[in-house]
């Protein structure tokens, strides 16, 4: 059943509400999915399970992982147009022919898959966008942060958060602390 959110309700959601929902989802994730962190599971797996815990915190919204649709684009794909973000993402991916690919991205838009979004499908109701990185990743989170900032601006998400999943041995050291995610 399609979801719908009254604009007054949407506009009443403040950063404290978002942080509270994120913290609650984090607590539930930590209690139920910690083995995934210890096993250094794939980032998609971690995001999927974290999104599962977010659903209960934002029941009036759709919570999706790697959602690539944008109702406002002609071809219905979620694209990024910010040239600095495009370059940062392509560099982090180690894309050959960087200048050529950047020019193509600026001309056609770079198709992107946000890790997690809290929104209403097929409506311009974008509450929260989340990018995540595992602590064991060899790729710098800088590209994810640039992507996050550009998507927040371009697709008008009210809030953005970056999650650093503590994986492997870090899952035992870091625990459930306030530094697990940050807001942009």
């Amino acid at each position: 059943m399609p979801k719908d959110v009254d604009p007054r309700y949407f506009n009443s959601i403040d950063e404290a509400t978002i942080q509270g929902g994120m913290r609650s989802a984090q607590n539930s994730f930590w209690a139920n999915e910690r083995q995934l962190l210890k096993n250094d599971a794939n980032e998609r797996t971690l995001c999927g399970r974290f999104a599962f815990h977010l659903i209960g915190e934002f029941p009036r919204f759709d919570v999706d992982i790697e959602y690539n649709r944008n109702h406002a684009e002609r071809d219905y794909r979620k694209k990024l147009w910010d040239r600095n973000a495009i370059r940062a993402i392509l560099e982090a991916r180690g894309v050959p022919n960087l200048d050529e690919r950047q020019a193509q991205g600026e001309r056609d838009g770079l198709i992107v898959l946000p890790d997690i979004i809290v929104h209403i499908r097929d409506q311009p109701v974008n509450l929260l966008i989340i990018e995540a990185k595992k602590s064991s990743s060899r790729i710098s989170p800088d590209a994810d942060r640039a992507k996050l900032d550009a998507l927040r601006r371009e697709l008008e998400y009210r809030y953005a958060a970056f999650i650093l999943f503590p994986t492997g041995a870090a899952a035992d050291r870091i625990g459930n602390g306030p530094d697990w995610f940050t807001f942009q």
Side-chain angles (χ1 to χ4, degrees):
M1 178 172 183
K3 298 190 177 185
D4 192 25
V5 172
D6 180 271
R8 288 178 304 224
Y9 171 72
F10 180 76
N11 292 327
S12 74
I13 300 172
D14 61 4
E15 189 170 328
T17 302
I18 299 296
Q19 288 179 349
M22 291 278 292
R23 184 92 46 231
S24 182
Q26 176 185 344
N27 290 339
S28 180
F29 180 92
W30 189 259
N32 296 288
E33 317 293 349
R34 193 163 173 207
Q35 195 61 44
L36 293 173
L37 296 171
K38 288 182 178 184
N39 291 346
D40 198 10
N42 186 285
E43 182 181 301
R44 285 188 193 120
T45 301
L46 298 174
C47 287
R49 295 308 299 163
F50 190 79
F52 172 79
H53 294 281
L54 276 176
I55 290 170
E57 301 304 316
F58 301 100
R60 294 168 81 172
F61 292 88
D62 296 304
V63 178
D64 290 310
I65 58 169
E66 298 200 0
Y67 192 75
N68 68 341
R69 296 295 178 223
N70 180 4
H71 68 282
E73 286 289 338
R74 185 177 60 243
D75 63 0
Y76 207 60
R77 293 186 176 171
K78 197 171 290 285
K79 294 181 181 178
L80 186 63
W81 299 94
D82 180 280
R83 81 175 322 183
N84 294 326
I86 289 172
R87 186 164 194 86
I89 292 165
L90 294 176
E91 283 177 349
R93 292 178 183 169
V95 172
N97 305 321
L98 184 61
D99 291 333
E100 179 183 320
R101 287 293 308 274
Q102 181 176 357
Q104 178 185 358
E106 290 172 13
R107 183 181 62 248
D108 302 331
L110 182 68
I111 296 172
V112 291
L113 303 171
D115 289 330
I116 304 171
I117 57 175
V118 179
H119 67 137
I120 302 291
R121 292 183 198 119
D122 296 328
Q123 294 182 33
V125 181
N126 295 321
L127 182 63
L128 174 65
I129 184 167
I130 300 169
E131 282 296 312
K133 189 65 67 192
K134 298 186 325 174
S135 62
S136 61
S137 177
R138 286 182 242 140
I139 299 172
S140 167
D142 293 342
D144 282 337
R145 289 180 194 271
K147 175 180 164 185
L148 182 62
D149 187 52
L151 285 170
R152 184 188 53 74
R153 282 183 285 105
E154 290 184 23
L155 298 177
E156 299 179 350
Y157 282 87
R158 287 206 47 211
Y159 300 100
F162 178 80
I163 297 175
L164 181 63
F165 287 114
T167 55
D172 284 326
R173 287 194 314 269
I174 294 176
N176 187 9
D179 58 347
W180 214 51
F181 58 84
T182 57
F183 285 91
Q184 285 185 236

